[in-house]
Amino acid sequence: MYHITRITYSGEKVKTVYVKLEKGLNIFYGPSDTGKSYIIDSIRYMMGTGKCRIDPDTKYEKIRIDFETDEGFLSMERAIENGNKVKVEGSIGNFEPGEYGIDGKSTKNISDIWLYLMGVRDPVRILGGQEYKDVAFTIGTFSYMLAVDEETISQRDSVIMTKHDFSKMACQSALLYLLTDNNYWDGQKRIPKKEKDMRKDAQIKYMTEFLSSIEEDHKKKKAEYAGISRAELQDKIESILNEISSTESDLFEAVNTSREIATRIHQMDLQLSECAVMQNRYGTLKSQYSSDIQRLTFIVEGEVHKAGLPKITRCPFCDGEIKKQEEKSCVDAAKEEIKKLLPQIQDLEDAITDVETEVEVLTEERKELDASRRQLEKMINSEMQPKLDELRESLVKYSQAIEECKEDDVYKYFVANVGGRIRDLEDTKNIKEVYVIEDNFKEEKFSETFDEIFKEVLEETHFGEVTSALFSFSDYDVVVNNKKKFRYGQGYRAFLNTDVLITVQEYLRRHGKHQPGILAIDSPTLTLKERKVDDEASQGMKYGLFKYLLDHQRDDQQVIIIENDLPDMDKLDYSKANVQLFTKDPKVGRYGLLDGVTS
């Protein structure tokens, strides 16, 4: 909890002045032009509003507000002229003493300290526009409901929706966050509508150009088979498939025949190899037989010529007599051997002749088979295979034609869908993606609960007979007794707006997650004696309002009221409140807020 303890005004050439404030209800009253309104303005100014109403010509240069918090002392000081920074003394949380900015561009912002005092510990982003634009949740997004000047309190428009600085959505989102601690933002950055439309235009252009390009390509492909129906193409494909099947069958048979001939040739080559081996063997054997006959003939001839040779009867070395040995003749044996060899040679020659005959037959047959094989291979390579290739090319061609027909259907479907997409993009260029924040209020049943509390406040503040009190989402304002607030006179509007602000604070106390802790209102009953006010609040209503404020004081809320005079001073016990009178009389009490300055 926190509350303001003092507001001080100072300058080098003027007397420093201050006003003390307490927890609960604080009332500053007295005639006009005593500077009372500066109190409300000073609080607003310290919350970050751009300008202060105090004229620099008064020589007052600075405003300082002192706080008492649960964590200790805190003060804020801001220059009246060119006050772009707020000097902070004391420390709470992680906030160190020093200078703090007043706008969102500053790393250290005075708004963060105000929010911390109200229980908001971390930076928050809220919805700031119906097109999902996000903005920072700052004290500025709802300060207009906490410190309300005289002009605002009697306005015809909703007092809980600002007309300046922030969008209506930001105000609604800020109120929702105070109620629920939910910023209702998914953290996703949305693309601005202008950029979205630019992207849509780029998509439309791309798709239109793409359709044109594929249309030209489609026309070329379609022209190649113009006049041929899909059924005719299918018949041609069936005919080609049958012809391919027949040709493949003939080719398969020819290839098999070629393979069989090749196998037969191979077998003949083996037989010829065997014949060559036999011929070689027979030749070798014939040579051996011829050698044997020559040897035997030589032996026989030797025996024949031996008889004519001189006989040696004495040893040439010892001259001894050599005994005559009995010698056997080899002629007969040789003749017998030759007799046996001659038939074998004849048989061998016959075998050689048979092998030569077989070689001639095989060689001739191989030539014929080789010729047949070459003929088949020629037919396969020069006739059957080219024909099959040609048929397959035709099949591919006509199959592509069929696919083109199918693509034509796909093309038409695609064109229809892309055309539809282009139309959708054209249509959605004029449609905004909007967020309906009222749905969130309705989820929280805000209206029903607000109506109940508002009716209680109206009755306790003596508004009069209240038959109905409703909150309307059409303008975020109230309807009392079936009459919209803006239709009431100025005095009644100020009273109703005050009750609305009280209701918001009470709603937050009962059901909200964050309580602002402060409510400052200038002239809630517009009791200006210097001017007439249309439809002025009755004395009973004024009495009821101040009685309510006195009876509902709380330590966790500081209420500051600025008025010209107070109702029923004798009947109401103002001792429970901090009441300060500005007299506008130099001889009596306090003249006004600032020394020698009127407002």
Side-chain angles (χ1 to χ4, degrees):
M1 292 186 297
Y2 75 98
H3 70 278
I4 298 172
T5 59
R6 177 182 296 195
I7 303 177
T8 302
Y9 303 88
S10 63
E12 291 185 2
K13 299 180 180 180
V14 292
K15 178 183 177 182
T16 298
V17 295
Y18 63 85
V19 290
K20 288 185 177 181
L21 293 98
E22 305 289 344
K23 294 180 181 178
L25 180 60
N26 297 266
I27 301 173
F28 297 89
Y29 76 104
S32 298
D33 297 331
T34 53
K36 303 184 305 297
S37 296
Y38 287 155
I39 296 173
I40 303 290
D41 188 66
S42 297
I43 296 172
R44 289 165 55 86
Y45 188 59
M46 205 62 71
M47 287 180 175
T49 55
K51 293 181 180 180
C52 178
R53 287 177 55 213
I54 299 176
D55 193 334
D57 291 341
T58 63
K59 307 303 180 181
Y60 278 93
E61 299 170 350
K62 297 177 183 178
I63 301 173
R64 175 189 173 105
I65 297 181
D66 295 329
F67 299 83
E68 183 179 309
T69 77
D70 290 340
E71 299 180 34
F73 165 80
L74 179 73
S75 74
M76 301 178 185
E77 183 178 274
R78 186 178 177 186
I80 291 173
E81 185 76 3
N82 299 320
N84 296 324
K85 299 285 185 180
V86 178
K87 180 181 178 182
V88 176
E89 295 180 2
S91 61
I92 57 172
N94 295 322
F95 299 101
E96 298 294 333
E99 291 189 338
Y100 287 74
I102 60 171
D103 54 37
K105 299 177 182 178
S106 304
T107 305
K108 296 169 62 177
N109 197 298
I110 196 63
S111 171
D112 297 332
I113 297 180
W114 279 101
L115 293 178
Y116 184 88
L117 293 172
M118 298 174 188
V120 181
R121 298 297 189 244
D122 299 311
V124 177
R125 306 291 295 179
I126 59 174
L127 291 169
Q130 287 185 319
E131 295 182 64
Y132 294 88
K133 177 184 177 183
D134 63 292
V135 297
F137 174 65
T138 65
I139 187 67
T141 53
F142 62 97
S143 62
Y144 59 89
M145 290 192 296
L146 309 181
V148 187
D149 59 27
E150 181 182 355
E151 180 182 352
T152 301
I153 198 64
S154 61
Q155 69 181 16
R156 288 183 171 85
D157 297 321
S158 169
V159 75
I160 62 173
M161 290 292 122
T162 183
K163 295 184 291 183
H164 308 289
D165 301 329
F166 291 94
S167 70
K168 179 180 178 182
M169 175 72 84
C171 299
Q172 295 164 318
S173 298
L175 180 57
L176 263 180
Y177 185 78
L178 292 173
L179 293 172
T180 65
D181 198 37
N182 187 339
N183 61 357
Y184 292 93
W185 181 56
D186 57 13
Q188 299 296 319
K189 292 285 185 181
R190 262 62 176 196
I191 301 171
K193 184 178 184 301
K194 183 177 180 180
E195 185 176 342
K196 280 185 179 180
D197 288 345
M198 289 175 63
R199 292 186 181 186
K200 288 176 182 177
D201 286 336
Q203 291 180 51
I204 291 169
K205 181 181 178 183
Y206 171 79
M207 286 189 284
T208 302
E209 291 176 351
F210 180 69
L211 282 180
S212 298
S213 66
I214 64 171
E215 183 181 9
E216 289 299 320
D217 185 55
H218 179 70
K219 286 179 179 178
K220 291 177 182 177
K221 291 180 178 179
K222 195 171 181 181
E224 190 174 350
Y225 300 101
I228 304 177
S229 66
R230 187 184 300 188
E232 290 173 329
L233 290 170
Q234 195 64 51
D235 290 342
K236 287 182 179 293
I237 287 174
E238 291 295 332
S239 174
I240 291 171
L241 286 172
N242 291 334
E243 196 170 353
I244 286 174
S245 178
S246 175
T247 304
E248 284 179 339
S249 178
D250 293 343
L251 180 60
F252 179 76
E253 185 177 348
V255 169
N256 280 342
T257 302
S258 178
R259 287 175 181 170
E260 290 173 359
I261 291 173
T263 301
R264 179 63 182 147
I265 289 173
H266 178 66
Q267 291 171 349
M268 286 181 175
D269 287 340
L270 292 176
Q271 287 178 292
L272 288 170
S273 296
E274 289 175 1
C275 287
V277 171
M278 291 301 295
Q279 284 178 324
N280 186 49
R281 287 179 181 176
Y282 289 163
T284 302
L285 188 56
K286 185 178 178 181
S287 296
Q288 289 177 355
Y289 285 167
S290 296
S291 296
D292 288 343
I293 291 173
Q294 287 178 0
R295 178 177 53 81
L296 291 171
T297 301
F298 179 76
I299 292 170
V300 172
E301 288 178 350
E303 285 290 333
V304 172
H305 294 294
K306 180 182 177 184
L309 293 174
K311 298 190 183 291
I312 299 172
T313 60
R314 306 294 295 182
C315 175
F317 298 101
C318 68
D319 197 30
E321 185 179 357
I322 299 173
K323 285 185 178 183
K324 184 178 180 181
Q325 296 179 350
E326 187 178 354
E327 295 181 356
K328 292 183 180 181
S329 176
C330 296
V331 174
D332 292 336
K335 288 181 177 180
E336 279 299 320
E337 191 68 29
I338 290 172
K339 187 177 179 181
K340 291 178 181 178
L341 285 172
L342 290 174
Q344 290 179 359
I345 290 173
Q346 184 62 47
D347 291 340
L348 184 59
E349 289 178 347
D350 292 341
I352 289 172
T353 301
D354 291 341
V355 170
E356 289 175 347
T357 302
E358 185 178 359
V359 168
E360 290 178 1
V361 171
L362 287 172
T363 301
E364 187 63 30
E365 187 177 351
R366 189 187 184 286
K367 287 181 180 179
E368 292 177 358
L369 288 174
D370 194 48
S372 298
R373 184 169 175 244
R374 285 198 299 271
Q375 182 67 27
L376 275 173
E377 288 180 348
K378 181 180 179 182
M379 183 172 65
I380 289 169
N381 294 326
S382 62
E383 296 179 17
M384 302 179 79
Q385 189 62 52
K387 180 181 180 182
L388 188 60
D389 292 341
E390 185 179 346
L391 288 170
R392 285 173 176 165
E393 287 179 5
S394 297
L395 178 63
V396 170
K397 183 178 178 181
Y398 285 111
S399 296
Q400 287 176 341
I402 287 289
E403 291 302 317
E404 290 297 332
C405 289
K406 293 179 181 178
E407 285 181 14
D408 185 55
D409 294 338
V410 174
Y411 168 78
K412 291 176 181 176
Y413 178 80
F414 177 78
V415 169
N417 277 270
V418 173
R421 176 60 179 157
I422 290 173
R423 287 191 297 274
D424 290 342
L425 288 170
E426 290 284 2
D427 293 341
T428 56
K429 280 173 60 179
N430 300 317
I431 299 176
K432 292 183 179 180
E433 181 184 3
V434 297
Y435 183 85
V436 183
I437 199 169
E438 285 76 15
D439 293 343
N440 300 125
F441 278 100
K442 291 172 183 176
E443 282 179 15
E444 300 296 331
K445 297 184 178 179
F446 173 80
S447 180
E448 296 90 328
T449 309
F450 186 92
D451 292 349
E452 294 173 4
I453 299 174
F454 183 53
K455 189 173 183 182
E456 291 176 13
V457 173
L458 286 174
E459 291 173 348
E460 286 193 53
T461 55
H462 298 180
F463 180 77
E465 185 178 356
V466 180
T467 58
S468 65
L470 304 174
F471 178 82
S472 172
F473 282 113
S474 64
D475 53 7
Y476 279 78
D477 216 339
V478 291
V479 180
V480 180
N481 296 335
N482 296 319
K483 185 177 180 181
K484 286 184 174 289
K485 186 203 72 183
F486 77 88
R487 297 187 184 280
Y488 283 91
Q490 187 178 10
Y492 271 78
R493 289 199 306 271
F495 191 90
L496 287 174
N497 281 334
T498 301
D499 278 0
V500 167
L501 294 171
I502 292 172
T503 301
V504 170
Q505 294 271 348
E506 186 63 19
Y507 190 110
L508 291 173
R509 185 183 72 82
R510 296 184 193 180
H511 307 288
K513 299 297 182 180
H514 301 286
Q515 298 181 46
I518 187 170
L519 176 62
I521 303 175
D522 189 357
S523 304
T525 62
L526 290 182
T527 54
L528 293 177
K529 293 182 178 179
E530 289 81 356
R531 63 189 179 101
K532 292 183 178 180
V533 176
D534 63 312
D535 205 5
E536 184 179 351
S538 67
Q539 290 300 317
M541 291 165 62
K542 297 172 185 178
Y543 170 87
L545 175 61
F546 277 87
K547 185 176 188 307
Y548 180 93
L549 295 172
L550 289 165
D551 291 345
H552 290 78
Q553 295 185 75
R554 305 195 312 264
D555 286 343
D556 62 349
Q557 184 186 45
Q558 188 172 45
V559 177
I560 302 168
I561 299 296
I562 307 297
E563 270 293 5
N564 285 78
D565 57 21
L566 300 182
D568 300 304
M569 292 290 291
D570 297 331
K571 295 181 181 179
L572 292 174
D573 184 7
Y574 287 97
S575 63
K576 298 177 183 179
N578 173 33
V579 180
Q580 299 185 40
L581 171 64
F582 294 170
T583 64
K584 202 178 182 179
D585 186 343
K587 299 178 181 179
V588 180
R590 180 168 180 168
Y591 181 90
L593 179 67
L594 304 178
D595 185 54
V597 178
T598 61
S599 173

